[in-house]
C-alpha cells in the first residue's frame, strides 16, 4: 500500500536521486554517539549528585529522594530552556539531551515559550502539552505492556 502512494520517479529523477546520495555528507556517527553518551551520562551524574545531596543533607532515603531529584532536574531543564542554553546543549549533544526527563521538560517549556504571545490560557496552556502528549500516551502504553508482561511472567512461575 505504501508503494501505491509513492510517486513514480522518472529515469531522470532516479538518476538525480542517485547523484544526490553520492554527494550527501557522511554522518559522523561515532562523534554523535560519544557526545550523546557524554551529555546524557552527565545529566544522569548531575541527577545522582542531587539525589546524594537530598540523602546526606536532608535525611531522605534512597527511595524518597527520587521524586525531589526529578523535580529539581525538571526545574533546571526548564530554567536552561528559558535562558536559551538547553537548545544550544541539545544541538551539540543530540539525543543525549532528549532521553532523560530533562528532554521531556525541555519540550514542554519550549512549547510554552513559543506560544506565550497568544496568552496564558489559549497559548501556553493550550499548546504546552501538544508535543509532550504523544510522549505521555506512548509512555503509559509502554508501561502497561511491560507491566502486563511482568505479571504474566510472575504468574507463570
Amino acid at each position: 500500500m505504501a508503494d501505491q502512494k509513492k510517486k513514480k520517479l522518472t529515469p531522470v529523477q532516479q538518476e538525480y536521486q542517485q547523484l544526490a546520495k553520492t554527494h550527501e555528507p557522511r554522518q559522523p556517527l561515532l562523534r554523535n554517539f560519544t557526545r550523546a553518551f557524554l551529555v546524557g551520562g552527565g545529566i544522569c551524574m548531575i541527577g545522582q549528585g542531587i539525589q546524594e545531596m537530598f540523602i546526606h543533607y536532608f535525611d531522605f532515603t534512597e527511595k524518597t529522594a527520587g521524586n525531589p531529584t526529578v523535580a529539581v532536574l525538571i526545574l533546571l531543564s526548564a530554567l536552561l530552556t528559558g535562558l536559551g542554553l538547553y537548545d544550544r546543549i541539545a544541538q551539540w549533544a543530540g539525543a543525549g539531551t532528549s532521553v532523560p526527563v530533562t528532554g521531556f521538560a525541555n519540550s514542554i517549556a519550549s512549547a510554552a515559550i513559543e506560544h506565550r504571545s497568544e496568552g496564558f490560557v489559549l497559548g501556553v496552556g493550550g499548546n504546552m502539552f501538544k508535543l509532550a502528549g504523544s510522549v505521555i500516551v506512548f509512555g503509559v502504553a509502554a508501561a502497561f505492556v511491560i507491566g502486563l508482561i511482568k505479571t504474566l511472567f510472575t504468574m507463570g512461575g
Side-chain angles (χ1 to χ4, degrees), residues 11-153:
V12 173
Q13 290 172 325
Q14 290 174 353
E15 184 181 334
Y16 177 76
Q17 290 289 334
Q18 292 296 326
L19 180 66
K21 279 187 180 179
T22 61
H23 291 289
E24 274 184 14
R26 301 191 94 215
Q27 295 293 324
L29 292 178
L30 183 62
R31 184 186 77 190
N32 291 348
F33 292 153
T34 303
R35 287 180 177 183
F37 176 78
L38 291 174
V39 173
I43 291 170
C44 293
M45 276 182 28
I46 291 168
Q48 187 65 44
I50 293 168
Q51 183 175 7
E52 293 297 323
M53 181 192 70
F54 279 121
I55 291 170
H56 292 310
Y57 296 113
F58 298 105
D59 293 327
F60 281 78
T61 65
E62 278 191 42
K63 192 172 186 176
T64 59
N67 288 337
T69 300
V70 171
V72 170
L73 286 172
I74 289 170
L75 176 70
L76 289 174
S77 175
L79 180 66
L80 290 174
T81 300
L83 295 173
L85 297 174
Y86 200 90
D87 291 335
R88 288 183 186 169
I89 296 168
Q91 284 177 344
W92 186 82
T97 57
S98 64
V99 176
V101 69
T102 54
F104 182 68
N106 174 55
S107 69
I108 293 173
S110 294
I113 290 168
E114 184 177 335
H115 296 284
R116 73 177 182 256
S117 63
E118 298 169 29
F120 285 118
V121 175
L122 296 177
V124 174
N127 294 300
M128 190 164 63
F129 290 104
K130 280 187 177 178
L131 178 63
S134 59
V135 175
I136 293 169
V137 168
F138 289 109
V140 169
F144 175 76
V145 169
I146 291 169
L148 186 63
I149 291 169
K150 180 182 177 192
T151 301
L152 292 174
F153 276 121

